[in-house]
Amino acid sequence: MDVLVVGAVHYDVIVNAPRLPELDETLKGQSVAYALGGKGGNQALSAARNGVKTAFAGATGSDDAGYFMVEQLAVGSVDVSQIIPHPNLASGMSVAIVTSSGDYGAVIVSGANEAIDAHSIKIPAGLKWLILQNEILPEINLAIAIKAAKTGAKVILNAAPARDLEPDLLAVIDIFIVNGVEAQALGNAIHSNNCITIETRGGDGLLIWKSESEWDFIPAFKVPVISTHGAGDCFVGALAARLCLGDKLEPAATYAAAAAALHVSSSAEVR
């Protein structure tokens, strides 16, 4: 197995609207769609679509949303054998509003994602990269990262959404990925470890931090933006895939930036 993603899956309700509503305002939307979401699910699909053997481990409810999400991952060539359906919990879900400018805001409800059993998750033989995010509990990330690192696998942490970072987790991370908002929220913490930090800045490109004062810059691909929803997840999965296929970090990051650009300029979201 090349990539294992441990994280959240959400049943996404995606509403298109001219803008985000104000507080206490009811705004008429233009359309609605339903899709597999969650950073974990999105990143697993992205890695698989970019040509590597990918597995996902997580939890859903025993409900229609859960069945739908497992099916979507399986159709996307992701190994779903480590997804556990919980009989008494609802699947995670999110509601996202995508504006006419391509920006979005979202609310998530974790549901069964908070019931992931880290100790029951098996690290596949020959695993190259483990991908984690902050949509699941920190103790789950720590347990899985330590388990994977002991097998020789390398670990990517996409620190989204931003939250306090555990030193024990940072000690076993190889690549740390944040966007501009998360980097600002975490402050100097993004430089307080020995791993590589990648800061994505959307249309302003990305930085690969070598130290607090030294970085490499990779420019963005200039494309018309239809929706930025899920672009960061597309980047993470594509990056891991290219690293598995033998790319060095900068070419892998450039490829991943191109994949994200294709995503934001496509009317059919790469999910």
Side-chain angles (χ1 to χ4, degrees), residues 42-102:
N42 290 343
Q43 290 170 13
L45 282 176
S46 176
R49 284 171 174 153
N50 282 283
V52 296
K53 294 181 179 179
T54 304
F56 180 84
T60 67
S62 294
D63 49 27
D64 289 344
Y67 299 140
F68 170 82
M69 292 187 291
V70 171
E71 180 183 40
Q72 292 299 300
L73 287 167
V75 168
S77 298
V78 175
D79 182 328
V80 297
S81 61
Q82 294 201 76
I83 300 179
I84 305 301
H86 284 269
N88 300 316
L89 294 172
S91 292
M93 73 165 297
S94 75
V95 178
I97 299 176
V98 181
T99 71
S100 56
S101 65

Side-chain angles (χ1 to χ4, degrees), residues 10-16 33-39 42 94-99 101-108 135 225-235 259-260 262-271:
H10 298 131
Y11 183 72
D12 276 2
V13 181
I14 305 164
V15 176
N16 289 94
Y34 306 93
L36 167 72
K39 292 185 177 299
N42 290 343
S94 75
V95 178
I97 299 176
V98 181
T99 71
S101 65
D103 296 321
Y104 75 98
V107 175
I108 65 171
E135 286 185 338
V225 175
I226 293 177
S227 172
T228 61
H229 188 209
D233 298 331
C234 181
F235 174 88
L262 178 63
H263 174 100
V264 303
S265 63
S266 173
S267 58
E269 291 192 349
V270 180
R271 308 189 58 82

Side-chain angles (χ1 to χ4, degrees), residues 6-7 110 113-116 118-119 130 132-146 157 160-170 172-173:
V6 180
S110 294
N113 291 301
E114 293 190 346
I116 296 171
H119 299 291
L130 169 71
L132 302 169
Q133 322 79 31
N134 280 352
E135 286 185 338
I136 59 176
L137 298 174
E139 56 265 30
I140 298 172
N141 276 346
L142 177 59
I144 295 297
I146 291 174
L157 173 64
R163 67 182 178 208
D164 291 341
L165 301 170
E166 305 80 10
D168 289 346
L169 177 58
L170 289 175
V172 292
I173 297 301

